[in-house]
Amino acid sequence: QVQLVESGGGLVKAGGSLRVSCAASGRTATYAMAWFRQAPGKDREFVAAISWKGGTKFYGDSVKGRFVISRDNAKNTVYLQMNNLGPEDTAVYYCAVDVDNVIVDWTSAEEYDYWGQGTQVTVSS
């Protein structure tokens, strides 16, 4: 069993930056982790994913070049640095972990086994 707790969300003005964190209980250092987001009335959207060593990263097209995913395995924490935010980035951001170490499609929510409760990010124009 893995528990994930997101933090760091909040209100930021367009063009600003924000970093959200996801702290994991249990031994997650060898697991791939990811961030997804869901805006009101929209489907859950892939944001970014990172391999357990941190050497492989994937980004959704809408955040590529603006967001950076990273992890600190000693702290069992994954981060999402979000830069040049726009109102379209407003959503609840969820972190997720894959514990079976078999990922075919890193962008698919179905690949991930445990999810956090989410943290709200609101970008004002």
Side-chain angles (χ1 to χ4, degrees), residues 2-6 22-25 28 33 95-97 114-118:
V2 176
Q3 292 186 327
L4 305 173
V5 179
E6 301 96 335
C22 173
S25 66
T28 59
M33 298 187 74
C95 70
V97 63
Y114 295 97
W115 294 78
Q117 83 290 345

Side-chain angles (χ1 to χ4, degrees), residues 75-99:
K75 296 181 179 180
N76 281 340
T77 300
V78 65
Y79 306 97
L80 184 68
Q81 176 67 42
M82 304 182 288
N83 302 316
N84 193 22
L85 286 160
E88 66 277 11
D89 296 312
T90 295
V92 177
Y93 283 71
Y94 299 91
C95 70
V97 63
D98 165 70
V99 300

Side-chain angles (χ1 to χ4, degrees), residues 5-125:
V5 179
E6 301 96 335
S7 62
L11 175 64
V12 63
K13 291 184 179 180
S17 297
L18 200 63
R19 189 179 80 162
V20 291
S21 303
C22 173
S25 66
R27 188 169 177 270
T28 59
T30 59
Y31 299 147
M33 298 187 74
W35 287 96
F36 287 77
R37 67 185 183 186
Q38 189 164 20
K42 294 188 177 181
D43 293 334
R44 190 164 294 193
E45 176 189 14
F46 170 75
V47 176
I50 187 168
S51 62
W52 73 272
K53 286 187 176 181
T56 299
K57 300 178 183 180
F58 296 91
Y59 294 95
D61 289 341
S62 61
V63 306
K64 207 169 291 184
R66 299 188 298 123
F67 289 13
V68 178
I69 189 171
S70 62
R71 66 189 298 163
D72 183 340
N73 287 339
K75 296 181 179 180
N76 281 340
T77 300
V78 65
Y79 306 97
L80 184 68
Q81 176 67 42
M82 304 182 288
N83 302 316
N84 193 22
L85 286 160
E88 66 277 11
D89 296 312
T90 295
V92 177
Y93 283 71
Y94 299 91
C95 70
V97 63
D98 165 70
V99 300
D100 60 17
N101 280 330
V102 177
I103 295 183
V104 175
D105 181 357
W106 289 73
T107 70
S108 172
E110 295 181 354
E111 296 280 4
Y112 300 91
D113 307 293
Y114 295 97
W115 294 78
Q117 83 290 345
T119 185
Q120 176 71 47
V121 172
T122 303
V123 185
S124 63
S125 57

